Amino acid sequence: MDKILEGLVSSSHPLPLKRVIVRRVVESAETPLSQAQCRAMFALSTRLVLQGPDPFQRQVGRQVLEAYGRYHRAEFEAFFNRGLVLGLLQRGYGELSNRDPAILDYIQAGLRLIMSCPSVLELFELLQVEALRLVCERPAPPLCARLCQLLGDFPQCLPRGRKLSLAFCQQLVRSIAHFQSQGSREAELRLYVSQVTQVSGLLRSVWKAEPDTLLPSLQELFAVISAADTSFEPSVALASLVQHIPLQMITVLIRSLTTDPNVKDASMTQALCRMIDWLSWPLAQHVETWVIALLKGLAAVQKFTILIDVTLLKIELVFNRLWFPLVRPGALAVLSHMLLSFQHSPEAFHLIVPHVVSLVHSFKRDGLPSSTAFLMQLTELIHCMMYHYSGFPELYEPILEAVKDMPKPTEEKIKLILSQSAWTSQSSSLPSCLSRLSGKSETGKTGLINLGNTCYMNSVIQALFMATDFRRHVLSLNLNGCNSLMRKLQHLFAFLAHTQREAYAPRIFFEASRPPWFTPRSQQDCSEYLRFLLDRLHEEERTLKALSSAKTSESVMNEESQTQEAVYKAQAFAEAPCIRSGERTLIEKMFGGKLKTTICCLNCKSMSQKEEAFTDLSLAFCPPTSLENIGPKCVEHSEVKDDYVVQTNTLATGPAAETPLNNLEVNGGCDTIMKEGTMKDISTEPNSENSTNSELNKVQDNRDMSQKLVGKNTLSVTDLLNYFLAPEILSGDNKYYCEKCASLQNAEKTMQIIEEPEYLILTLLRFSYDPKCHIRRKILDNVSLPLVLELPVKRAMSPLAVVSGGWSVGVELSEIGENLAKKLKPSGADEVTCPQLVPYVLSSVVVHSGVSSESGHYYSYARNVTGSGPSGLCHQSSTALSLVSPQDKLLTEESPCTVVENELDTEMPREWFLFNDSRVTFTSFQSVQKITSRFPKDTAYVLFYKKQNSTCGFNTSSANGLWVNGDPPLQKDLMDAITKDNKLYLQEQELSARTQALQAASASCSFRPNGFDDNDPPGSCGPTGGGGGGGFSTVGRLVF
């Protein structure tokens, strides 16, 4: 058979005929053969594999060897023995050199065939020795890469024992130092890079399996690059090893290098210069991190001579690397640090000045977003240097002309950058002289720095940011040239989404959004802040729309008539109902719903109705009797006439000059007397809380009654909503003035949601006013939070349907604020009620920690919820906690606790986040549910629910550009601002070097991988955040 095969492959027959015959020969491998025949076939196939003159013969050899070796394993084991393998590795095969990669290909194929044979162990021992010998002979990249592939597939062949393993790693490092590319064409360079990557990957595997070999390998690496031998230049391929060195070792290694008296200045200079050369390696990761860390380490120990020499030697090379996109980020980072720190002389800057203009023009011609971003950074760097080294107009005028259309940093910003970057600003405390190695936490989310008892704002902003559809709408708005509050919110959302910082300081937004009556640096009510914020955003958009409409309808007017027209149209806009969804403000679209309140006189049965918009519902705690008997609530406090007002947070439909947002609260029947349609905020007057004593006292009474009657039974959000929607009897002092009866009468009041919002905000009324202590005490009852709830919405289908946000037919808009109940529609009006259960999924939970609204701490839990539900979490009605009509059965039959457990089973891992000021961690819904039971002072306060299976008419495949993680692309000015801020991140960390070292030490002893919520409560609020977030410091990323 071997003679036939040998004659066939060397014959002149057509190739297709040869393939057919070869297939027959391979198929005949199953037939029994003598030992001699097998040996002859193995010898022939080996010769074809190793010496075949063309690819066809080598392929035939591999097919025959594999087929006959598989079916005649014992014979192949005898053939593929120690002598054969050793001869191949030391002498080669015929004319084939032992350094040819084909030898290793053949050996690897043979090892696969005898893996189950006992003799393979002997071959493994042989290869362990031969592998070490091979790397000591400095193999070329192709052979070394093939050897590393063999060792990667068969780790049993790696040298064993600490001494041999360490020697292998050190010799492999030296082998890489001798690598040189054999060509200059792109295909050849790509092959070379892949071979180097194969070798460095094996070293990484060895370091990971045997950590003791890492530090000696790095010492060998430093010995290679610090050698003063001018006859040998180590290969740039050594840069491939940097990405495999743990960044956590920077502190140890840099301290060792910069403080070791045995490391001479000449050696350090040589090593640093060669590390800078590594910036040319296309796939090198973290090279700039190590270079900058070493530069800062040298500055910390005041080795300025080395820094000056290296900067002057390599500044032009680093600048030239900016021409190559693959290595541009690292080169710019190193260039920026070198220039900004070299502040004693313009010499280094002037070396690159002649080349700046051509590079700027190249970036402009490129037009790519990445090139534009780098041009922004380069321009800022150049402006800093020209500011520092002024007095050279002949050198700088061409540069100023080239960058005249680029933003120029402010003088304060330039001074800040320069002060942070000087060598003299580097601390001698080594850990703090290093840049932070990672920005955001592992969650990828950004925290908000507490500016001094601003956790109430931070928790609300994070909840709004995690309201995905709202965030996307805000980010997609075109607000260029507008200095509105919405613009500032857009800026804040953009930084939360894209900054590299672990936490962002929202100072500008805080000053713009803080209610005037809020005392700075004092704790406030997050619910009150949320209402004020939404009201401001709503009113601002309405006003801007009205002014815009007025401008487009005008032709040529004098200044006075234009002002009058704008005011007139603003009033017209405010008074006109928004019928089409396109006319609604963003706040109305996202958070606006409608509530209808009906009062029925129990004497004459006449009815009066009122519709009112709301952005949140505030739910009082209910007594257990109302849950068990589902009877009407009985309120016997304060007189209520026809001009009642439902206690909800309502969007204004009247003129802007009047009360824009009626900050009313649903208290389950505890109404506040309103006069002339106005209402004063609780916080505006010292005694304003007295006006709500009756409601708050009733809330406290309900809590006490609940504890007495049902003990420690846990209420749910379902219970509170059912109690709110249940009928309420107005009697006693709270009798209703009936227009038809012309007297005070007992009446029944019911409330129905007739239009649901996209995001349902629920505030639990946990604070009751204590007149003795003059504080608002807290109701600490635990409330179960359903992941999914169904909101009952009663849509009114009537020929005389009321317009959006208005009163019933017959009510003039101009009469809002008067006794509007006198013109409500009669009780006999035809109406068709269509109840519908609208599913909502829990999006965010704002938690208050403390016992009073004037103290404590806020933090929030949140998850990403889109219209279709988070991570596919779309519960069917059978598993949802549904709310049903008060006229029907108010309480669901299924136990809330049981349903919640069912929901928890389907929860996606790491879906929830905990936002505690500057700290963001992963958490779980179990932690949300158990927070009050584990920490009694920590209670859910404000809840955000997202309407399920709704996209708010927002197309995520917008033609505006590519979307990142579902969010719209940022406008250029926003992205530029973020890019600039990210560039400054490193310098900002350097400014307080010693403080960073202390924070790092504090974080190392206080960090818990599972997050604070599984161990201790957040505690109180302070300038650095609550107990859960203050004092925590992660390591940040090098960013320019």
Side-chain angles (χ1 to χ4, degrees), residues 340 379-388 409 414 417-418:
L340 292 170
T379 301
E380 184 173 277
L381 173 64
I382 297 301
H383 276 297
C384 289
M385 301 313 298
M386 291 189 296
Y387 173 87
H388 189 64
I414 292 175
I417 295 175
L418 292 172

Side-chain angles (χ1 to χ4, degrees), residues 632-651:
K633 294 172 285 188
C634 183
V635 179
E636 299 183 355
H637 303 283
S638 69
E639 178 181 347
V640 176
K641 296 188 178 182
D642 283 359
D643 56 342
Y644 67 89
V645 178
V646 179
Q647 240 185 322
T648 57
N649 182 25
T650 59
L651 290 172

